[in-house]
Amino acid sequence: MHAAVVAAFDQPPAFESFPDPSPSGPDEVVVEVLAVGLHPRVRSQADGSHYTSTDDLPLVPGIDGVGRTPDGAVRYFVLPDTRLGSMAQRTVIDLRRSIELPSDADPLAVAAAMNPAMSSWLALRRRISFSPGQRVLVLGATGNAGRLAVQVAKHLGAGQVTAAGRDAGLLTELPALGADRTVSLLDTDALGDAGSDVDVVLDYVWGRPTADALRAIVPARRNDSQPLTWVQVGSVAGLESPVPSAALRATSLAIVGSGQGSVAPRDILAELPELAAEISRGSFRICVRAVPLAEVTAAWSDAATARERIVLVP
Ligand SMILES: NC(=O)c1ccc[n+]([C@@H]2O[C@H](COP(=O)([O-])OP(=O)(O)OC[C@H]3O[C@@H](n4cnc5c(N)ncnc54)[C@H](OP(=O)(O)O)[C@@H]3O)[C@@H](O)[C@H]2O)c1
């Protein structure tokens, strides 16, 4: 078969022949891959920078996808940490880490949206105690996961959603997705005001912008004892952030992370069906660009700047 193959961490994957996979346990089957999202998590898998990476090469990247099983069912699947990922004509899935999709589901939409949508869905449903009516601030709302976070928060009953981002043009699109307010990440006064009464922050940026946001928001809190749950979800602006210590003392601030590891695998699996059903019924607006798997090397460089989620189609 053919697959996207990473031979060195400093080079993008190339479309090459690769040994056919075979199942090794009673719950495993080989699927014909239909669609695979090129998520930031997959880019860090392929360049060796993700916290789960090992030095083992070559590897086929891809952490999830949509595939057809030998009995003809179309399933969304999540892969374990493996060197045989989903960016291949065929891959091995564990049926217990997959769900059958509704017959009208669009494989491209599901492959594009499950990973970015899961970031906010799991954070609000499994990582923190979120109640309908609470106010949510999304830091870094202009990316795929941030745009979905605005929609997911609204869908799950947020009383108010504020979208913060650095791209002024893209911010203007967010009210149409459900944002009640938008604010520039670069305008710290406005950011402080926007964060003065929120209950939850979904943070996709981290790095310096998060420290700046905390410096603006903490002094602006209207009620210091109102709980503020700051959920670290992404780190597009830096893996480390110089969080001011006083922020944790001056207000009722709790910083937690949400992702693979901090949310139990069984909780992640339990949420897949409902989220896939919402995506399949078109509850969220999703931007997708389909690219043939054979063009994976070019897609890799496009993904660095693409607004849409690139989905590779074998
Ligand atoms: N924990 C989880 O479960 C989970 C799941 C999925 C994704 N994530 C993480 O969430 C993050 C976003 O993923 P994504 O799928 O939305 O990626 P994406 O579609 O590539 O979007 C990234 C966004 O980050 C913004 N950005 C980049 N550098 C920035 C900076 N220095 N300051 C402010 N904004 C910056 C860009 O904003 P501009 O519009 O200004 O260029 C872009 O819109 C990634 O770190 C990803 O790994 C986490």
Side-chain angles (χ1 to χ4, degrees), residues 45-308:
Q45 174 192 31
D47 69 18
S49 64
H50 194 260
Y51 61 83
T52 59
S53 293
T54 67
D55 290 338
D56 292 342
L57 290 174
L59 72 79
V60 174
I63 56 165
D64 68 349
V66 176
R68 185 175 286 112
T69 54
D71 63 1
V74 174
R75 301 183 78 89
Y76 170 76
F77 56 86
V78 181
L79 297 180
D81 297 329
T82 171
R83 284 172 54 218
L84 177 55
S86 47
M87 293 187 167
Q89 291 173 317
R90 288 175 285 285
T91 196
V92 174
I93 69 164
D94 184 328
L95 290 169
R96 296 167 300 179
R97 297 170 63 101
S98 74
I99 51 165
E100 186 166 351
L101 293 174
S103 56
D104 58 350
D106 174 2
L108 289 176
V110 173
M114 283 297 281
N115 170 270
M118 193 65 83
S119 65
S120 49
W121 185 277
L122 287 178
L124 295 176
R125 299 240 316 185
R126 294 284 174 168
R127 187 66 179 97
I128 67 169
S129 175
F130 171 73
S131 314
Q134 288 192 315
R135 290 177 284 255
V136 176
L137 168 63
V138 180
L139 281 191
T142 54
N144 284 283
R147 286 196 302 265
L148 278 158
V150 169
Q151 299 177 75
V152 164
K154 268 281 157 159
H155 180 83
L156 296 179
Q160 180 191 67
V161 177
T162 303
R166 65 175 181 177
D167 185 312
L170 289 174
L171 271 182
T172 64
E173 298 173 9
L174 296 180
L177 300 183
D180 300 289
R181 302 185 294 186
T182 62
V183 60
S184 170
L185 261 182
L186 311 173
D187 182 346
T188 45
D189 286 345
L191 195 56
D193 190 44
S196 63
D197 62 354
V198 298
D199 303 292
V200 175
V201 174
L202 295 176
D203 183 353
Y204 289 92
V205 294
W206 208 240
R208 170 62 65 178
T210 288
D212 291 346
L214 275 164
R215 278 194 193 90
I217 289 171
V218 166
R221 292 292 281 171
R222 289 182 206 165
N223 174 0
D224 289 339
S225 57
Q226 177 193 353
L228 171 58
T229 308
W230 197 287
V231 193
Q232 204 297 312
V233 193
S235 45
V236 293
L239 294 175
E240 296 180 7
S241 177
V243 169
S245 60
L248 288 152
R249 297 192 299 270
T251 57
S252 183
L253 169 68
I255 301 179
V256 302
S258 181
Q260 188 183 352
S262 57
V263 182
R266 68 173 178 283
D267 289 342
I268 297 176
L269 293 175
E271 293 295 335
L272 294 181
E274 196 172 335
L275 179 56
E278 293 299 344
I279 291 169
S280 301
R281 76 170 63 103
S283 300
F284 308 125
R285 210 178 300 170
I286 299 156
C287 304
V288 191
R289 189 198 309 173
V291 175
L293 181 62
E295 296 170 20
V296 62
T297 305
W300 224 258
S301 48
D302 288 354
T305 52
R307 290 289 166 206
E308 316 91 339

